[in-house]
Amino acid sequence: MSDEVLVTDADGILEVTINRPEQRNAMTKAAAEAIAEAMDRLDAEPALRCAILTGAGGTFCAGMDLKGFLKGELPVAGERGFGGLTSWTPKKPVIAAVDGHALAGGLELAIACDLVVANVNARFGIPEVKRGLVAGGGGVVHLPRLLPRQLAMELALTGDPITAQRAYDLGLVNRVTDGPAIAAARELAATIAANGPLAVAASKGIVRDSWLWPADEINTLQAPYIAHVFVSEDAREGARAFAEKRKPNWQGR
């Protein structure tokens, strides 16, 4: 694991911190590979229920390390894309905790996560056109699906950022906080981690994959995601815990 990314865990939550604060956490290939490795760990360890991705030093990620780019380096991890996360997703949820700037690849990394929590002073944008580049890590593809088309077009063509509050009002951000984003992200992660892990993973998979499912095939396509959940030990435990007015003891099976 590269020292450009710090990984800790507590109470079922994996925290992954981009650790290049002097470079505003600009992404390198080593950091991208370390994030991908951390996400593999998230899926591999049953005790881990959720992950938080954040940045050290008061900023999330300012995008690609341009010095590395000039040397021919791309901050991707194989087929997993920018930051090791923009072209795939782990089975378990990932929350972006955004302080400061989430710009260029940083914004693409944030929206590649399943949920976004931001400090009120955070800014989101894809300024690639200001450098003669294109937001090719998912920005120009996914933003028109997440925002009104005209606003996505404005972000792509002007390169100007929007505030965290504006992003929240448009549904790009789940929660805005006056304090550090990591604190609010931990609260959200704890809520998720308290739920049935099989049900959480299935729900995430359906929400992500059903984007273009034909309406008349939804039930058929959804079935493989949920069939094992309804016959699981966790499903029975959830019902028993409700009847007995206690917290469930999830087994993940």
Side-chain angles (χ1 to χ4, degrees):
M1 181 72 70
S2 169
D3 60 4
E4 295 185 359
V5 173
L6 305 178
V7 180
T8 60
D9 69 271
D11 301 320
I13 299 165
L14 190 71
E15 293 189 7
V16 183
T17 304
I18 308 166
N19 187 39
R20 306 187 73 232
E22 294 180 359
Q23 293 79 30
R24 295 198 304 164
N25 297 321
M27 187 60 56
T28 65
K29 184 174 183 62
E33 291 173 345
I35 292 171
E37 182 180 340
M39 295 304 153
D40 284 340
R41 178 184 169 191
L42 173 67
D43 272 350
E45 296 185 17
L48 296 175
R49 304 293 176 80
C50 183
I52 297 172
L53 178 64
T54 192
T59 196
F60 181 70
C61 175
M64 175 172 62
D65 186 313
L66 292 178
K67 292 181 179 178
F69 172 72
L70 290 174
K71 296 177 182 177
E73 177 185 283
L74 293 177
V76 302
E79 296 181 353
R80 296 188 177 188
F82 180 91
L85 197 59
T86 60
S87 296
W88 80 292
T89 188
K91 294 179 180 178
K92 300 173 186 177
V94 182
I95 301 168
V98 179
D99 296 295
H101 293 96
L103 299 176
L107 179 143
E108 293 169 324
L109 195 58
I111 63 175
C113 296
D114 302 296
L115 301 148
V116 182
V117 174
N119 175 268
V120 67
N121 294 315
R123 296 292 183 270
F124 296 82
I126 45 173
E128 279 87 344
V129 291
K130 295 180 181 291
R131 302 291 180 265
L133 300 170
V134 176
V140 291
V141 173
H142 294 299
L143 283 177
R145 299 182 178 186
L146 299 171
L147 298 174
R149 181 177 180 273
Q150 285 80 1
L151 180 56
M153 188 71 79
E154 181 179 340
L155 289 173
L157 300 186
T158 67
D160 294 335
I162 57 174
T163 65
Q165 185 61 50
R166 179 67 168 147
Y168 173 81
D169 292 340
L170 291 163
L172 196 66
V173 167
N174 295 85
R175 298 182 183 180
V176 175
T177 177
D178 290 331
I182 189 66
R186 285 169 179 161
E187 292 181 5
L188 184 57
T191 300
I192 293 170
N195 295 327
L198 296 180
V200 166
S203 297
K204 167 180 171 168
I206 293 168
V207 170
R208 278 188 166 260
D209 296 347
S210 64
W211 191 272
L212 296 177
W213 286 357
D216 59 351
E217 296 181 31
I218 286 176
N219 289 336
T220 299
L221 294 171
Q222 177 179 256
Y225 292 79
I226 64 175
H228 69 290
V229 176
F230 282 88
V231 298
S232 67
E233 293 181 24
D234 277 358
R236 292 190 291 274
E237 168 62 10
R240 281 194 300 267
F242 177 80
E244 297 169 4
K245 298 181 180 179
R246 60 173 173 82
K247 291 183 179 180
N249 180 24
W250 307 120
Q251 300 297 316
R253 56 178 185 267

